[in-house]
Amino acid sequence: EVLRLLKNDFKTRHIPVKIVSADEPNIIAKRMGAVNCIQKPSDEEDLIQIIKNIVAYSDETYRRLLIVEDDPVQLEQMVNLLDGENIEIVTAQDAKTALEQSRTKLFDCAIIDLNLPDMNGFKLLEILKKNECSMPVIIFTAGDLTHDEMESLREYEATVILKTADSYKRLLEEVS
């Protein structure tokens, strides 16, 4: 409930939230905007490390965003929408380039179109997960998704936004 209140308030929605709970890490909390969900540590050293990680994350004012989109017009629109003073935007127009970028840089978030020229976006997500890239993912796609595809995306804890006239506003909110 506290997470919901924080993420629904314009004044506090940008604050990074990590959930620490005795329960198993909660996928729903990550979908609601938590940076991470951590099971309560068993000892003091683990707790100290969690707090150090939170402080280090909050001290970073510079963010890096990966956009994977093969349509140059849509790519330019997203870059123009999301570009900011403390944001580095890295673009890739195919999965191969996205994978190369993810191996050499750490990203705070990725926006991925599922329809890429060299690889299905689901396969790209599978490889990113196998490579232990733990960045939040936003799927930004024009295609209608089947129930099975939506279920598959839930496994990757991805937020899904269908491209419509109003979707850029939602994209900006999700990236924030």
Side-chain angles (χ1 to χ4, degrees):
E1 181 63 18
V2 172
L3 176 62
R4 187 186 64 74
L5 291 171
L6 287 169
K7 291 302 175 181
N8 287 331
D9 186 327
F10 188 74
K11 294 177 207 145
T12 58
R13 70 183 337 161
H14 66 283
I15 297 172
V17 177
K18 288 195 177 199
I19 302 292
V20 180
S21 173
D23 297 329
E24 288 291 318
N26 190 335
I27 292 172
I28 294 170
K30 285 188 81 174
R31 284 191 195 130
M32 289 177 60
V35 172
N36 202 352
C37 299
I38 304 161
Q39 194 165 5
K40 279 189 179 172
S42 56
D43 63 23
E44 187 176 338
E45 280 300 312
D46 288 341
L47 184 58
I48 290 169
Q49 189 58 48
I50 288 170
I51 292 169
K52 284 181 180 179
N53 291 345
I54 291 170
V55 170
Y57 182 86
S58 63
D59 284 345
E60 289 179 24
T61 56
Y62 191 77
R63 300 287 181 231
R64 185 175 288 138
L65 175 65
L66 174 63
I67 302 176
V68 187
E69 170 64 63
D70 64 324
D71 181 335
V73 174
Q74 296 238 357
L75 183 60
E76 183 179 352
Q77 286 178 328
M78 284 190 275
V79 169
N80 290 338
L81 175 73
L82 300 169
D83 195 22
E85 190 174 304
N86 296 326
I87 297 176
E88 176 189 352
I89 298 177
V90 176
T91 62
Q93 291 187 298
D94 56 48
K96 180 183 176 199
T97 305
L99 288 169
E100 288 170 3
Q101 292 291 344
S102 72
R103 286 185 191 107
T104 60
K105 297 178 183 172
L106 293 175
F107 292 95
D108 296 292
C109 182
I111 301 170
I112 299 173
D113 184 9
L114 292 176
N115 301 313
L116 298 170
D118 60 340
M119 183 186 300
N120 180 301
F122 290 97
K123 182 69 176 168
L124 173 59
L125 286 171
E126 182 182 318
I127 294 170
L128 287 171
K129 186 174 182 178
K130 192 185 308 181
N131 293 347
E132 298 183 7
C133 290
S134 60
M135 65 190 150
V137 173
I138 300 169
I139 300 300
F140 194 56
T141 189
D144 288 331
L145 300 172
T146 66
H147 176 73
D148 289 343
E149 289 172 330
M150 288 296 288
E151 287 298 314
S152 177
L153 290 173
R154 283 192 185 98
E155 290 178 30
Y156 300 108
E157 302 174 15
T159 300
V160 178
I161 302 174
L162 296 179
K163 293 177 184 174
T164 65
D166 299 326
S167 59
Y168 284 96
K169 179 181 176 188
R170 179 151 179 250
L171 179 65
L172 182 59
E173 290 173 1
E174 287 294 332
V175 170
S176 295

